[in-house]
Amino acid sequence: MTQRMKFWSQMSAFGRAQLRLTTAAKEGLGDPVLAELVVLRASQLNRCAFCIDMHVKNLRESGVDPRRIDLLPAWEESGDLYTARERAALALTEAITVLTDGFVLDEVYAQAAAHFDETELAHLIAVIVAINNWNRVNVTVRQPPGEEL
């Protein structure tokens, strides 16, 4: 795979804004491991090698059980490896990231709302939207894993 362009150096103001957006979204979520699981799952769905590489490293460095990282693509079949709160966040992540039906199902949203207060839920949605922005740019320009942005 050959990188198509150095998007982030061409769009440095956009990159700074995207970073501020992501930071602001994560700040109100309160749980950095949850945030990393969410962004890793969205990145897996979007097949963003750059982001998958980065967020796997972040989770490993945080001391997260390697099974929780390895089994994330099959979180629904992983028993009690993920908390009910994490499962609700991951379901919402998948619904927002893959808008196959054009909307987020009421039951998925209600499940997330049962585990997050309104402020946390707003931040969770913002984290999911932010990582999807990163993924879409990086996949489009073929940002190589492990490289500096």
Side-chain angles (χ1 to χ4, degrees):
M1 180 174 80
T2 303
Q3 186 173 9
R4 291 177 170 156
M5 70 179 296
K6 302 269 187 191
F7 178 88
W8 298 107
S9 63
Q10 297 298 315
M11 295 291 296
S12 59
F14 179 84
R16 288 190 303 275
Q18 178 66 33
L19 189 54
R20 286 192 309 274
L21 177 76
T22 302
T23 301
K26 286 183 176 182
E27 283 175 354
L29 198 50
D31 183 346
V33 170
L34 175 70
E36 285 297 313
L37 289 171
V38 163
V39 297
L40 176 56
R41 185 64 190 128
S43 298
Q44 290 169 337
L45 292 167
N46 289 322
R47 299 171 50 188
C48 180
F50 178 86
C51 291
I52 292 169
D53 180 59
M54 178 174 55
H55 296 297
V56 164
K57 286 177 187 173
N58 290 348
L59 284 163
R60 286 184 180 142
E61 289 171 3
S62 296
V64 171
D65 178 349
R67 290 180 65 226
R68 287 170 42 86
I69 301 167
D70 296 341
L71 292 174
L72 189 59
W75 64 269
E76 290 178 292
E77 292 81 32
S78 297
D80 62 355
L81 197 56
Y82 304 95
T83 67
R85 180 176 164 96
E86 290 169 338
R87 295 167 69 78
L90 293 168
L92 186 62
T93 300
E94 291 187 1
I96 292 172
T97 300
V98 184
L99 290 172
T100 313
D101 294 326
F103 55 89
V104 174
L105 296 174
D106 289 341
E107 55 266 22
V108 172
Y109 186 87
Q111 184 68 20
H115 290 280
F116 296 87
D117 67 33
E118 197 165 284
T119 300
E120 292 171 325
L121 185 55
H123 281 273
L124 176 59
I125 292 167
V127 167
I128 297 165
V129 169
I131 191 59
N132 274 280
N133 285 345
W134 287 108
N135 292 162
R136 280 156 173 72
V137 170
N138 289 334
V139 168
T140 299
V141 301
R142 296 184 176 162
Q143 183 67 33
E147 281 199 7
E148 192 79 20
L149 289 182

